Amino acid sequence: MSKPRDTIKGIHPYKGPAGGWDALKSVTRHLYEQDVLVKGNRTLLDMNKPEGFDCPGCAWPDPNHHSSFEYCENGAKAIAWETTAKRADETVFDRYTIPELMAQTDHWLEDQGRLTDPLVYDAASDRYQPIAWGEAFALIARELAALQSPDEAEFYASGRTSNEAAFLYQLFVRAYGTNNFPDCSNMCHEPSSVGLPKSIGVGKGTVLLEDFEETDLILSFGHNPGTNHPRMLGTLREVAKRGARIAVFNPIRERGLERFADPKSLKDMATFGSTQLATDYFQLRIGGDIALLKGMMKCLFEWDALDHEFITTHTAGLDALRADIERSDWDEIVAVSGLPRAEITRAARLYADAKSVILCYGMGITQHHNATETVQQLMNLLLLRGNVGRPGAGICPLRGHSNVQGDRTVGIWEKPAPWLLDAIEREFGFAPPRHHGHTVVEAIEAMLDGRSKVFIGLGGNVAMASSDPAKTWAAMRRQNLTVWISTKLNRSHLVHGKQALILPCLGRTEIDAQASGPQSITVEDSMSMVHASLGMNKPASPNLKSEPVIVAGIAKATLAQTQSPVQIDWDWLVADYDRIRDLIARVIPGFTNFNEKIRTPGGFYLGNTAREREWKTQNGKANFLVFPFIAPNPNHSPKDGLVLTTVRSHDQYNTTIYGYDDRYRGVFGRRDVVFMSTEDIMALGLEGGDSISLETIGADPAIYRADGFVVVPYDLPRGCCVAYYPEANPLIPLENRDAVSGTPAYKAVPVRVMRHVAR
Ligand SMILES: Nc1nc2c(c(=O)[nH]1)N[C@H]1C(S)=C(S)[C@@H](COP(=O)(O)OP(=O)(O)OC[C@H]3O[C@@H](n4cnc5c(=O)[nH]c(N)nc54)[C@H](O)[C@@H]3O)O[C@H]1N2
Ligand SMILES: Nc1nc2c(c(=O)[nH]1)N[C@H]1C(S)=C(S)[C@@H](COP(=O)(O)OP(=O)(O)OC[C@H]3O[C@@H](n4cnc5c(=O)[nH]c(N)nc54)[C@H](O)[C@@H]3O)O[C@H]1N2
Ligand SMILES: [Mo]
């Protein structure tokens, strides 16, 4: 028999709701740990207000940017982490060699505080040492100019980057001559960006916040807003209080989807009350979404619960979809989804009975084999009942980084559309490269086999975020030069090329003073609202530069060194970011009068054609798309193992580990856990608390193996297990990815679980 969970160190079921007093306690603790109690709290009051800065936490929109207290526990942690009083300055870099830093945890590395000065790798001492900004730019220029082709360099971007910095970055890189823009979107919502345009003509969500006020039913697939989009809980609370339904499809019962006590509600706080969120919870198997969707669609066809008028006027491909769905076999649907037929039928009934439906989804959908096709099946479900382009209905992909959507909008795109390149050619008088560049996994492959020789990262931490660290680290170490533009020390700085630079930049909370005065930047949220963000705090060090200024510095030096004919006055542009915005307005559709529009509190809406039922697809219709399989991938049901999904804990922001608690899932002070169902634990002859090793099925066990995890019994469907990102990334081969979008299948890794034996 398995031990009860309470006997495993640090594992105590959490009985409270999401939010509530524990959230406030946690905020105070994180501010205290970063020595920012006073400053951080003031900073928090400026967050997500018309005259304040945009929360760097997530991309959930703010209600008109008018709320006076629109911050959440995890937004507060993000702020505490950025406004920390700690400094990673010479006291750290003089003291430790790179191998000594490598021996530290990821938490420790970032907890050294904000980077203060530009640094260069010194091979003789195996340390980073200070370098002048001008020399750093000159080094980059020399290395980029020395390449045989611009396609031998990779220009990564993480989605915190502002529209202004991102626009300059893509302009510079295209003037230099490549479309190699691997970006965090390639690891995140690329299946949405690639899959949705074929269905509805746009790769973004179609709903606005106001639609949540009118919807009858929310279908929530594979996302965990209590941790990753906490401000969404306020919206869900309103939805629930109105009596609308919320149906969740997730292998894990996430507390943040079950119950919420709003720290902003006097009543909730005074009475220890909370609101039930999910009205219906479907615990499907990992990777069971296509099967479930096909089952639901089978019911809709059977009941003829279709919006025929919408289908006739607006769509194409119904007959092919019907044929595919009728062909699908219930037994297989039940086996793959892990849900009984009656449950699937109940889900379909809920959907058929609702007038207006919003479908929200996150990484539980996109980080799979065939994720692109899964996104398209979600869209099929909505289209069958005309649930797009009318009030209270539509698709709502929960984006990741706070400006990942904006970065793509302004041109961070390895497969740029011809209109973008035409506009750049028209405005700047040079012919940008037309051939496609690399996604993240393609960049790693190119770096590994010697095709790419220089890597520049505008934010992020690819060494930890990517799948397959074995290959990723080898790829990074082969580079002639690696450059990171960063706020905090992380492992990607330590897994470096022959030459390496760390360029420290301002964070969003800080005053960005340029020749014309303090500058604001702009970002786009998950719902295509663009607004300004203005930092208020004194910069962490006088030697920091803003991201736009760093990009301009690299651009100016490099284009001079390569004797590029492209004439752009980079210094003039960054002296006043209005000038960059004027360029964006001339190149990117939807940004006319950009400077005027962002001076309106709340910003402006970029628009979405599918919301207007205008379909920018090849045939001018919304398309039903067929995927002829029920199981999404060869890994779905490994015969001699389990399928592993990797998730974020409540105390992390991607690779940034704030702490070791995952409160809502009842894990305290540790991250080395693997959740499994009690039945699977018993079948494996294990007990809760046992030390285990995991091996990836079908991959070289000498490489794709992870030791020292601990079994924790958890309410999960059979055949599934769950571990934290990034600890489990060594198990994920680079090839484990969605074929269409290239997004790693971080949520579906076939693993063999073994009792740990010391090697
Ligand atoms: N505080 C905080 N906020 C964040 C982040 C952070 O790390 N910390 N990261 C930001 C970024 S970049 C992103 S992309 C978002 C991520 O936000 P989420 O998409 O919520 O991220 P994950 O933690 O990966 O959670 C995925 C959810 O999918 C479920 N799941 C796993 N496999 C499956 C499956 O096969 N089917 C279904 N239906 N569900 C499944 C998991 O149980 C989990 O609830 O959050 C952003 N916001
Ligand atoms: N196994 C597994 N792996 C995953 C995922 C998963 O669910 N499972 N999720 C994937 C997803 S969705 C994503 S988006 C990626 C994330 O991949 P990345 O975006 O590359 O990683 P982050 O951890 O967000 O990057 C953290 C670093 O960004 C820097 N930084 C923070 N703020 C700023 C800033 O304002 N400016 C600049 N220039 N730098 C800043 C800091 O130095 C910090 O160390 O990871 C992916 N990896
Ligand atoms: Mo993401």
Side-chain angles (χ1 to χ4, degrees):
M1 255 320 274
S2 276
K3 291 178 200 165
R5 288 181 56 190
D6 258 344
T7 63
I8 307 169
K9 187 163 167 267
I11 307 295
H12 319 284
Y14 182 70
K15 304 233 163 63
W21 287 104
D22 285 344
L24 289 189
K25 258 194 277 177
S26 155
V27 168
T28 310
R29 183 162 60 82
H30 282 272
L31 289 171
Y32 175 77
E33 281 170 6
Q34 298 304 319
D35 293 340
V36 286
L37 213 47
V38 178
K39 187 169 84 176
N41 257 330
R42 270 228 32 232
T43 311
L44 291 173
L45 294 175
D46 291 330
M47 190 153 97
N48 295 333
K49 285 209 296 190
E51 289 298 305
F53 62 91
D54 183 71
C55 177
C58 74
W60 185 252
D62 310 305
N64 302 320
H65 267 241
H66 281 149
S67 165
S68 57
F69 206 58
E70 233 341 268
Y71 79 79
C72 66
E73 176 188 350
N74 279 355
K77 286 182 203 161
I79 299 307
W81 205 246
E82 182 173 303
T83 59
T84 177
K86 302 180 191 180
R87 296 292 177 265
D89 53 18
E90 67 280 0
T91 53
V92 173
F93 294 104
D94 285 354
R95 179 149 171 217
Y96 299 107
T97 63
I98 304 275
E100 285 163 354
L101 291 171
M102 272 302 272
Q104 303 291 346
T105 63
D106 295 296
H107 171 76
W108 186 95
L109 291 176
E110 286 215 27
D111 198 34
Q112 297 315 294
R114 289 288 299 279
L115 293 159
T116 56
D117 297 283
L119 300 166
V120 65
Y121 174 65
D122 174 57
S125 62
D126 208 1
R127 282 169 217 270
Y128 275 104
Q129 294 183 346
I131 182 174
W133 279 103
E135 280 177 47
F137 294 149
L139 170 59
I140 298 171
R142 273 200 310 279
E143 286 303 321
L144 288 176
L147 297 179
Q148 290 198 329
S149 149
D151 288 333
E152 292 177 358
E154 304 290 346
F155 296 88
Y156 179 76
S158 166
R160 293 230 183 152
T161 297
S162 63
N163 290 330
E164 289 72 11
F167 182 81
L168 285 190
Y169 196 52
Q170 64 83 34
L171 182 60
F172 151 60
V173 171
R174 294 198 162 105
Y176 169 68
T178 182
N179 285 313
N180 280 348
F181 288 110
D183 78 329
C184 73
S185 181
N186 300 149
M187 300 186 267
C188 186
H189 259 294
E190 202 62 54
S192 308
S193 305
V194 178
L196 289 177
K198 290 216 170 76
S199 293
I200 55 168
V202 285
K204 299 181 183 179
T206 66
V207 299
L208 289 176
L209 217 41
E210 65 211 37
D211 288 306
F212 286 81
E213 291 164 21
E214 293 191 48
T215 193
D216 302 303
L217 171 69
I218 293 176
L219 301 176
S220 151
F221 279 87
H223 67 118
N224 180 23
T227 288
N228 298 316
H229 302 91
R231 284 178 295 118
M232 185 187 190
L233 296 195
T235 307
L236 292 180
R237 178 176 182 264
E238 295 305 313
V239 169
K241 281 197 174 302
R242 259 192 319 105
R245 296 188 89 106
I246 300 172
V248 176
F249 303 86
N250 198 313
I252 306 180
R253 290 193 78 91
E254 303 284 21
R255 181 54 44 86
L257 285 162
E258 292 181 317
R259 262 183 309 131
F260 175 51
D262 190 348
K264 298 196 292 292
S265 153
L266 257 180
K267 180 159 173 263
D268 277 5
M269 297 304 274
T271 62
F272 293 94
S274 63
T275 307
Q276 182 192 337
L277 300 179
T279 48
D280 304 271
Y281 216 112
F282 300 92
Q283 262 182 294
L284 79 182
R285 290 193 56 202
I286 294 168
D289 301 271
I290 293 180
L292 163 94
L293 288 162
K294 289 202 172 184
M296 287 175 73
M297 289 193 273
K298 234 173 149 57
C299 297
L300 296 182
F301 279 115
E302 219 175 275
W303 303 332
D304 194 27
L306 312 179
D307 182 342
H308 288 289
E309 197 189 321
F310 173 82
I311 291 173
T312 314
T313 321
H314 290 285
T315 71
L318 182 76
D319 293 342
L321 179 70
R322 185 196 296 272
D324 174 63
I325 299 295
E326 281 173 358
R327 233 183 357 252
S328 342
D329 168 54
W330 268 116
D331 291 342
E332 197 185 351
I333 289 174
V334 166
V336 173
S337 69
L339 293 172
R341 180 169 170 176
E343 277 292 276
I344 299 175
T345 308
R346 188 167 74 81
R349 180 42 67 201
L350 284 174
Y351 178 63
D353 285 348
K355 197 169 119 276
S356 304
V357 180
I358 294 177
L359 192 153
C360 301
Y361 68 98
M363 299 299 104
I365 291 293
T366 62
Q367 295 174 335
H368 274 286
H369 294 261
N370 301 116
T372 305
E373 289 91 343
T374 313
V375 168
Q376 293 169 341
Q377 298 306 308
L378 294 175
M379 206 58 231
N380 285 344
L381 183 75
L382 288 176
L383 290 174
L384 282 177
R385 292 187 45 78
N387 271 313
V388 61
R390 58 184 172 79
I395 193 143
C396 178
L398 277 302
R399 293 278 163 178
H401 272 296
S402 49
N403 196 40
V404 58
Q405 186 160 315
D407 290 349
R408 180 60 59 85
T409 302
V410 302
I412 303 289
W413 198 0
E414 78 285 353
K415 297 180 184 69
W419 65 256
L420 173 67
L421 303 175
D422 293 345
I424 292 173
E425 188 155 359
R426 187 184 69 227
E427 286 303 325
F428 300 100
F430 71 89
R434 296 264 156 185
H435 56 283
H436 289 174
H438 295 150
T439 60
V440 169
V441 285
E442 287 164 351
I444 292 165
E445 285 167 345
M447 289 155 69
L448 192 61
D449 65 22
R451 279 176 289 133
S452 288
K453 302 182 172 76
V454 173
F455 177 97
I456 300 183
L458 182 52
N461 183 7
V462 173
M464 297 309 289
S466 168
S467 48
D468 214 327
K471 284 190 179 157
T472 305
W473 293 18
M476 290 288 172
R477 286 175 170 145
R478 269 200 84 165
Q479 299 303 288
N480 293 343
L481 172 67
T482 48
V483 181
W484 283 101
I485 299 159
S486 307
T487 51
K488 291 277 191 94
L489 178 62
N490 67 44
R491 201 163 303 278
S492 292
H493 305 142
L494 309 176
V495 182
H496 57 81
K498 291 169 200 124
Q499 303 170 86
L501 291 166
I502 306 175
L503 306 179
C505 65
L506 293 174
R508 232 181 243 177
T509 54
E510 290 166 322
I511 298 165
D512 180 354
Q514 303 302 336
S516 69
Q519 305 295 313
S520 56
I521 52 98
T522 61
V523 296
E524 175 185 339
D525 68 29
S526 265
M527 295 181 188
S528 306
M529 298 293 300
V530 179
H531 55 260
S533 169
L534 182 68
M536 308 281 182
N537 288 344
K538 194 169 149 230
S541 143
N543 204 13
L544 301 182
K545 288 189 189 296
S546 75
E547 290 183 351
V549 169
I550 296 172
V551 172
I554 297 174
K556 186 178 162 186
T558 304
L559 297 181
Q561 183 94 26
T562 57
Q563 297 178 349
S564 163
V566 178
Q567 294 295 327
I568 294 168
D569 189 341
W570 300 95
D571 293 330
W572 181 80
L573 279 178
V574 292
D576 181 348
Y577 297 176
D578 276 0
R579 294 168 185 163
I580 308 174
R581 283 187 284 270
D582 282 338
L583 291 184
I584 296 177
R586 296 209 321 245
V587 173
I588 310 291
F591 285 85
T592 328
N593 300 327
F594 191 7
N595 275 309
E596 215 174 286
K597 285 196 270 190
I598 56 144
R599 284 176 169 78
T600 324
F604 66 98
Y605 178 49
L606 273 180
N608 178 303
T609 42
R611 185 179 171 79
E612 311 303 323
R613 294 195 165 175
E614 182 194 331
W615 316 106
K616 296 229 165 193
T617 52
Q618 268 184 352
N619 57 3
K621 296 277 186 191
N623 288 303
F624 290 106
L625 297 171
V626 170
F627 177 67
F629 303 98
I630 288 176
N633 61 69
N635 299 340
H636 178 72
S637 297
K639 280 190 193 57
D640 53 345
L642 305 176
V643 58
L644 169 79
T645 196
T646 59
V647 298
R648 292 157 170 78
S649 84
H650 195 60
D651 260 5
Q652 76 184 82
Y653 194 94
N654 296 340
T655 67
T656 296
I657 311 300
Y658 301 130
Y660 289 82
D661 295 349
D662 191 8
R663 189 169 77 242
Y664 300 152
R665 299 198 188 106
V667 180
F668 300 90
R670 63 193 308 172
R671 292 179 50 88
D672 56 351
V673 299
V674 178
F675 300 133
M676 282 182 220
S677 72
T678 313
E679 294 86 343
D680 281 326
I681 295 173
M682 279 166 58
L684 285 160
L686 296 167
E687 287 185 357
D690 279 353
S691 176
I692 52 167
S693 300
L694 303 173
E695 239 175 48
T696 307
I697 296 172
D700 181 351
I703 301 171
Y704 300 97
R705 177 187 165 112
D707 298 315
F709 284 87
V710 164
V711 176
V712 173
Y714 210 81
D715 176 6
L716 279 176
R718 280 210 70 172
C720 299
C721 63
V722 180
Y724 293 124
Y725 146 54
E727 282 79 353
N729 287 32
L731 290 162
I732 312 175
L734 217 47
E735 299 73 31
N736 201 56
R737 66 196 196 219
D738 175 29
V740 182
S741 66
T743 300
Y746 296 115
K747 298 280 190 274
V749 192
V751 292
R752 206 171 288 120
V753 179
M754 297 153 300
R755 189 180 294 281
H756 176 65
V757 196
R759 277 196 281 186

